[in-house]
Amino acid sequence: MARSFSATCGPDGLVHHLAELRSAVPSASGGVIFVSGQLAQRAAGVAELVRSTWRGIPACVVPAAGVLSERGELEGDTGASGVLWAGGRVTPFALPERAEDPGHALRETLARTIGHRAATAILFARPGALSPGMLEGLGSCAPGACLFGAGTASGAALGVTSQGELIEGAVTGLAITGFAPPIVDASPAARLLSAFHPVEEVSGGVVLRAGGRSALDLLSAATATLGEQAGAQPLVLAALADPPREPSAGSAARRGEAADPAALGPAGSAHPAGSAPPVRYVLRPIRGIDPSRRGLLLGDDAQPGAHLAFAVRDAAAGRAGLDGIARQVSRSALGSAPRFALYLSCAGRGQGLYGAPDVEARILRQRFADLPIAGMHSSFEIAPSAPGEIKLALYTGVLALFRAPS
């Protein structure tokens, strides 16, 4: 059993919604509350309300740029959304704020909290506290865990333990055991402008050559047609992917990778032999240009051996991608009983991308009807990559469907 809510409200209204959820789920085992606007600025006070209203129930309070549920999305306003569920054992955890080696500390925290058990870990990181490298190796320290999450809007998320203790850290999250891991998939709101090319030369985060050409020449070729299009200047991004792997028969379909239209390359076109793009990629800003070396500053993610393409933030691709992963997740859940879902969507999507409210909420409602859903507009996303791996992502929607065997 699970129930969700979303509402434009202040503290008094929030208490009412929390109490309603508590009454609707009498045997609740855990919950998540997303808060925006003034409630996000007072997340510690919200955590106190959760502690008193949901006494004895572990939960996490997450500051967000906006909140959403199956009913719609709240952007640019003070409000909250949340879900309370029954089933499994929920343990909040927090990474110390001043860890000497944050990556090692995060791995140790997950290993201590989850170990080798089948589990789910939802991570909420404060902006600036999580680097892409910190996510490397998390799968090996908790090999039975399903990992995903997002970046908060401003301050840290707060955990509320079953004993009523409030915990807070650079990364705060929930570990869930004794409950079937969710089906998780992600899709970026981007349209690829080029094929992927292996990165060949990098210097200090500046990609100099890829695919036998200078990085700046590749960018110029990829964006040549954009100047001919009417309207506002589109946001051009780098798309980075790991080298392609040899998949086992049917593995792509099992992971839902074929559901991502962008996996086919620009406009779904085929690529020349030997240059087929890796299916999973993450978006990165182009931070600068080095004209003298004809390079692009992309940061530490761009290493020799990675594959580089270029993409543009795109509303049609965002809609199609979310519809695709929702369809694939729904198919993968056949034979089980869906309980609830979490949807973590970049703040760079929403009405600012689509030009209309509730676009993504409507897609989810069309696919999952009245299934309880809670979510947030995030500063970045922590999304599945290869099996057992996660990556920091931008302009991405992460959908996690929790279910029970039927």
Side-chain angles (χ1 to χ4, degrees):
M1 176 183 290
R3 291 289 187 275
S4 66
F5 84 97
S6 65
T8 301
C9 62
D12 292 342
L14 178 58
V15 170
H16 170 74
H17 290 292
L18 293 175
E20 277 195 339
L21 259 64
R22 185 68 183 87
S23 298
V25 189
S27 57
S29 57
V32 181
I33 299 294
F34 301 100
V35 289
S36 62
Q38 294 181 9
L39 288 180
Q41 297 170 14
R42 304 170 183 170
V46 172
E48 292 283 359
L49 296 178
V50 172
R51 174 166 64 177
S52 60
T53 309
W54 288 359
R55 190 177 302 276
I57 300 173
C60 197
V61 175
V62 187
V67 301
L68 60 90
S69 74
E70 73 277 11
R71 302 167 184 84
E73 302 173 48
L74 300 175
E75 301 181 66
D77 206 344
T78 294
S81 74
V83 63
L84 186 66
W85 68 86
R89 178 181 175 83
V90 180
T91 305
F93 62 86
L95 174 69
E97 192 70 45
R98 293 180 175 82
E100 189 170 315
D101 183 342
H104 176 74
L106 183 56
R107 291 189 292 272
E108 286 289 308
T109 297
L110 284 181
R112 182 173 61 253
T113 307
I114 295 173
H116 284 66
R117 291 177 292 175
T120 301
I122 313 171
L123 311 174
F124 297 108
R126 179 175 47 76
L130 188 70
S131 66
M134 287 175 59
L135 300 178
E136 295 179 3
L138 286 187
S140 60
C141 71
C146 172
L147 307 172
F148 68 98
T152 67
S154 52
L158 292 98
V160 183
T161 71
S162 57
Q163 294 78 33
E165 179 187 3
L166 299 185
I167 61 173
E168 177 182 347
V171 180
T172 306
L174 295 178
I176 307 171
T177 55
F179 200 73
I183 302 167
V184 182
D185 210 342
S187 178
R191 172 171 55 89
L192 288 175
L193 300 174
S194 71
F196 281 83
H197 302 278
V199 174
E200 297 157 341
E201 186 179 357
V202 180
S203 175
V206 177
V207 177
L208 301 176
R209 296 189 65 79
R213 301 175 65 184
S214 75
L216 187 54
D217 286 347
L218 287 177
L219 175 63
S220 299
T223 58
T225 61
L226 292 179
E228 304 169 4
Q229 300 176 4
Q233 186 68 26
L235 176 61
V236 179
L237 301 155
L240 292 171
D242 292 330
R245 303 182 181 190
E246 291 295 331
S248 58
S251 62
R254 285 195 299 272
R255 292 194 302 270
E257 291 178 349
D260 186 355
L264 300 176
S269 60
H271 291 267
S275 66
V279 177
R280 297 285 186 182
Y281 64 87
V282 293
L283 299 170
R284 293 290 182 266
I286 299 172
R287 301 178 181 177
I289 294 174
D290 186 336
S292 63
R293 296 187 293 174
R294 304 198 63 74
L296 301 174
L297 176 59
L298 303 182
D300 293 338
D301 288 337
Q303 297 291 335
H307 280 60
L308 170 67
F310 298 99
V312 62
R313 193 174 68 124
D314 185 82
R319 285 191 294 266
L322 176 56
D323 184 67
I325 64 171
R327 182 170 58 250
Q328 181 62 36
V329 165
S330 179
R331 288 174 179 169
S332 299
L334 292 175
S336 61
R339 294 284 188 85
F340 67 94
L342 296 177
Y343 181 58
L344 314 174
S345 180
C346 181
R349 295 166 66 113
Q351 191 166 351
L353 174 64
Y354 300 113
D358 301 334
V359 169
E360 297 191 331
R362 285 198 301 271
I363 291 172
L364 295 175
R365 187 165 58 248
Q366 288 167 1
R367 181 61 55 184
F368 299 108
D370 294 327
L371 181 76
I373 299 174
M376 67 182 290
H377 293 160
S378 50
S379 56
F380 58 85
E381 298 70 56
I382 301 170
S385 179
E389 297 179 8
I390 54 175
K391 289 186 179 293
L392 189 149
L394 301 174
Y395 302 105
T396 294
V398 180
L399 176 63
L401 177 65
F402 291 79
R403 80 275 189 219
S406 59

